[in-house]
Amino acid sequence: MTRTPAALTLPPPLAEPLAPDSVLATITQSWHNLRQRFVCMSPGCSEHNGLRNFYRPQVRMQLQQGWCCGPECFQTAFELQARHHLRLAVPHVPRPHRIPLGLLLLSRNQISQEQLRAALGAQQAKGGRIGEWLVRQGAVSEDDITAGVALQWARPTFPLARSESWQQCRGWVPPALREELRLLPLHFAPARRLRYGGVSQVVDATALAALGEMFECETEACLVSDSAFEAALEQIRASSGAADCQFVQLEDVETAAEIASTARQYARYAQARQVRLAAVGRFLWVRIRGEKIIHLTFRLRRAGR
């Protein structure tokens, strides 16, 4: 009996060796990336061209994605960051929907043309939102309106009235932003690094982006009913607030230098290890994390200075 020899499997060809110039470029880029992680952000810092501040953890402070080696450098670097964010601070203008809510509900056979005309007439005469008048007239329920708005924004709904998870999230957003932007933190999914924020009518992408920037995570908006949103706000207003957070609101701030000086004082008070900032509408939001967590909310008189 003749045996058929097994097929030989040849090893893969060896990769071509890197050229000396390519190896040197790779090493140089890796060293540059490592150095940038620890270099002081202040342009005038005496340690700006070295890594010695890496060995001074007792005075180092993280600012955004970089580091500052001391209070003076922190104030200088923070002022540069604040000046950049002030140019981004503009009042939020809601974008129009592709399909008006009334027509959306009509297309889904949830209301009749007569009910829509009656609600539009009441809105024209007395103001308000079309959804409110449809609910007042008994044409639809509040949950129907919430679901319709969620379809307009292509976002999910959240059963806020039947959930208590938002109680653990009260320290995420300063009261001024929560009230004016109508943004209520709802839940955090650690496995996905995803934070959910509740809105009742308008999805503010800038506010969601700021929330994600502050906590270094992804964010997702969920639509909640107006009554559940207001009930949650009333509970928060009546409570003493989050025990592990302090909220400080400052009005009519104009210059980046003024903001940087204030942030430095609070950073020293909190023995800060990390400071992050973001522009949200007419506000500059600063989150200081150290021995204490402090949220600074600067209401801007004029942006871009």
Side-chain angles (χ1 to χ4, degrees):
M1 180 177 181
T2 304
R3 293 186 177 181
T4 302
L8 296 178
T9 302
L10 298 178
L14 297 176
E16 295 185 4
L18 294 175
D21 291 345
S22 178
V23 173
L24 180 60
T26 301
I27 295 175
T28 302
Q29 185 62 43
S30 299
W31 167 251
H32 176 74
N33 293 339
L34 177 64
R35 181 177 172 275
Q36 285 300 114
R37 292 181 57 188
F38 303 107
V39 70
C40 181
M41 292 178 65
S42 176
C45 177
S46 60
E47 304 288 343
H48 188 67
N49 294 318
L51 293 177
R52 283 180 291 175
N53 53 50
F54 173 67
Y55 299 101
R56 302 163 61 194
Q58 69 276 10
V59 296
R60 286 198 311 147
M61 188 186 311
Q62 185 181 6
L63 175 62
Q64 300 296 77
Q65 301 297 333
W67 295 89
C68 301
C69 66
E72 293 293 338
C73 289
F74 168 77
Q75 182 169 344
T76 302
F78 187 97
E79 183 175 343
L80 293 175
Q81 291 286 326
R83 187 173 294 117
H84 168 72
H85 282 78
L86 287 178
R87 290 194 290 268
L88 305 177
V90 294
H92 172 70
V93 179
R95 65 175 177 83
H97 300 292
R98 292 182 178 180
I99 303 178
L101 180 60
L103 292 181
L104 179 64
L105 297 175
L106 183 62
S107 68
R108 294 167 59 86
N109 296 321
Q110 293 180 275
I111 60 174
S112 65
Q113 292 186 359
E114 291 74 16
Q115 290 171 326
L116 177 57
R117 280 195 292 267
L120 289 173
Q123 182 188 37
Q124 185 176 8
K126 300 181 180 180
R129 295 194 297 263
I130 187 67
E132 295 175 346
W133 287 108
L134 288 170
V135 172
R136 289 183 186 182
Q137 294 172 0
V140 290
S141 68
E142 188 179 26
D143 288 341
D144 293 330
I145 296 298
T146 303
V149 176
L151 283 174
Q152 285 183 309
W153 291 103
R155 294 292 190 273
T157 59
F158 185 85
L160 181 59
R162 301 188 299 274
S163 173
E164 295 294 331
S165 63
W166 63 272
Q167 297 277 8
Q168 308 300 320
C169 311
R170 291 182 295 171
W172 290 4
V173 176
L177 300 185
R178 187 174 57 230
E179 297 282 347
E180 181 155 327
L181 301 178
R182 307 283 294 176
L183 175 64
L184 181 67
L186 297 175
H187 180 68
F188 176 53
R192 300 174 58 192
R193 294 293 301 167
L194 180 63
R195 294 179 188 265
Y196 294 91
V199 296
S200 62
Q201 290 294 330
V202 178
V203 176
D204 189 336
T206 303
L208 291 171
L211 185 64
E213 185 175 351
M214 282 295 176
F215 294 94
E216 300 176 88
C217 64
E218 298 295 325
T219 56
E220 177 67 55
C222 300
L223 271 297
V224 300
S225 65
D226 284 337
S227 61
F229 192 93
E230 288 297 335
L233 289 185
E234 287 299 326
Q235 289 188 46
I236 295 174
R237 294 168 189 146
S239 66
S240 57
D244 58 341
C245 294
Q246 297 181 26
F247 300 103
V248 180
Q249 182 175 342
L250 299 103
E251 301 287 339
D252 295 333
V253 181
E254 290 190 89
T255 66
E258 181 182 356
I259 294 172
S261 177
T262 304
R264 175 183 174 179
Q265 295 175 28
Y266 279 97
R268 180 179 179 183
Y269 166 70
Q271 301 180 45
R273 296 185 298 272
Q274 182 191 61
V275 178
R276 300 186 70 84
L277 68 157
V280 191
R282 296 184 297 155
F283 298 92
L284 187 69
W285 176 16
V286 180
R287 182 175 183 263
I288 300 172
R289 186 168 64 88
E291 295 300 319
K292 304 176 178 63
I293 297 178
I294 301 176
H295 293 264
L296 303 179
T297 308
F298 298 89
R299 187 189 297 270
L300 308 175
R301 183 179 301 171
R302 280 183 295 183
R305 294 187 58 180

